[in-house]
Amino acid sequence: MARKSIQVQDFVANLPLFRELVPGEIARIAAGTVEVDAPRGTVLFHRGAPCSGFHIVIFGHVKLALQSPKGDEKVIELIGPGQSFGEAAMFLGRPHMVSATALVDSLLLHIAREVVLAEIKRDPGFARRIIAGLSRRLHHLIGDLEAVSLRSGTQRVIGYLLRDGPAAGAANALRLTLPAKKGVIASRLDLTHEHFSRILHELIEARLIEVDGLQVTIPDIARLRSYGA
């Protein structure tokens, strides 16, 4: 059965980036927004393609990646529901620096560059929220660089598993679903698939995690965190 179209204006109004806008401003944003249905494997854009706006994920997951001439792939980021990508290329007026591919059946919104720039002129607060989002992305990228340069493979995997977990002392256990196949996550962490699998097996043997397909259970967050330290 065909999926019903979403109410773009209602969805836009509930995104953190646009939450403070009044209805007239939301309507202008929605007028420049296109719903993008992306079945699994859909390439949203290739590296070098012109950038006409940015995307927001409604549901599903999108992989941002670089590819060598030999076909080797390096996953830069995994984008999930509520997250956006493509803003930097949009503001610079340059082609995309990465390719974007839907890892599962996904639904996205594409917001046109002209609409975003016009709204920034009208509302400095909107510009500040855009800058804050880009700053968070930069902060995460610096953290990724630190992890690759200064942390062991085991520390990278533990850090990834705990990235969206509660603060220290807030909860004892955590259950999560990996957003992609293990090979994709391994590339994201700058590990080979084999090395990533060995680390998971080590953590399972130490009874620090339980793995069932893409489901990961962490029975004791504090133990896992201290093991990574």
Side-chain angles (χ1 to χ4, degrees):
M1 184 172 65
R3 178 182 54 77
K4 293 181 179 179
S5 294
I6 64 168
Q7 295 296 321
V8 172
Q9 190 162 324
D10 292 341
F11 188 83
V12 167
N14 285 294
L15 291 170
L17 183 59
F18 306 116
R19 199 167 287 157
E20 296 177 20
L21 300 184
V22 299
E25 294 169 327
I26 292 294
R28 288 194 296 269
I29 294 289
T33 299
V34 176
E35 186 179 332
V36 180
D37 204 353
R40 178 183 177 182
T42 299
V43 178
L44 296 160
F45 52 77
H46 289 283
R47 179 178 182 175
C51 179
S52 58
F54 75 102
H55 290 82
I56 299 174
V57 178
I58 298 176
F59 65 76
H61 282 89
V62 173
K63 171 183 67 178
L64 304 184
L66 296 170
Q67 197 167 44
S68 73
K70 295 181 179 180
D72 298 325
E73 184 178 75
K74 166 58 183 170
V75 177
I76 303 299
E77 200 164 1
L78 300 175
I79 307 294
Q83 295 180 303
S84 60
F85 59 96
E87 299 96 324
M90 176 186 71
F91 284 120
L92 290 171
R94 295 181 179 177
H96 289 289
M97 295 184 65
V98 297
S99 63
T101 306
L103 289 170
V104 295
D105 293 345
S106 304
L107 181 66
L108 305 92
L109 297 179
H110 178 270
I111 302 179
R113 179 175 184 268
E114 294 76 14
V115 174
V116 175
L117 296 181
E119 209 54 51
I120 285 175
K121 288 183 180 179
R122 292 189 182 96
D123 181 9
F126 179 64
R128 287 194 294 271
R129 291 193 294 278
I130 289 278
I131 292 170
L134 290 172
S135 298
R136 284 192 294 272
R137 184 74 52 78
L138 178 61
H139 181 77
H140 286 309
L141 290 174
I142 291 173
D144 290 344
L145 179 61
E146 177 189 24
V148 170
S149 304
L150 303 176
R151 297 178 187 172
S152 69
T154 299
Q155 288 172 326
R156 280 178 247 167
V157 172
I158 291 174
Y160 183 79
L161 294 175
L162 295 176
R163 70 197 185 286
D164 296 323
N172 294 325
L174 176 66
R175 183 175 174 84
L176 57 96
T177 301
L178 298 177
K181 292 181 178 179
K182 295 181 178 68
V184 173
I185 295 174
S187 177
R188 169 71 173 76
L189 299 176
D190 204 33
L191 300 169
T192 64
H193 192 172
E194 293 75 14
H195 191 184
F196 182 68
S197 296
R198 285 199 301 272
I199 292 170
L200 288 181
H201 184 70
E202 172 191 331
L203 297 177
I204 292 170
E205 287 291 306
R207 298 186 177 180
L208 293 168
I209 65 172
E210 300 166 7
V211 179
D212 182 9
L214 296 181
Q215 301 291 323
V216 178
T217 300
I218 303 171
D220 191 326
I221 293 175
R223 275 192 68 217
L224 182 62
R225 187 175 279 121
S226 63
Y227 189 87

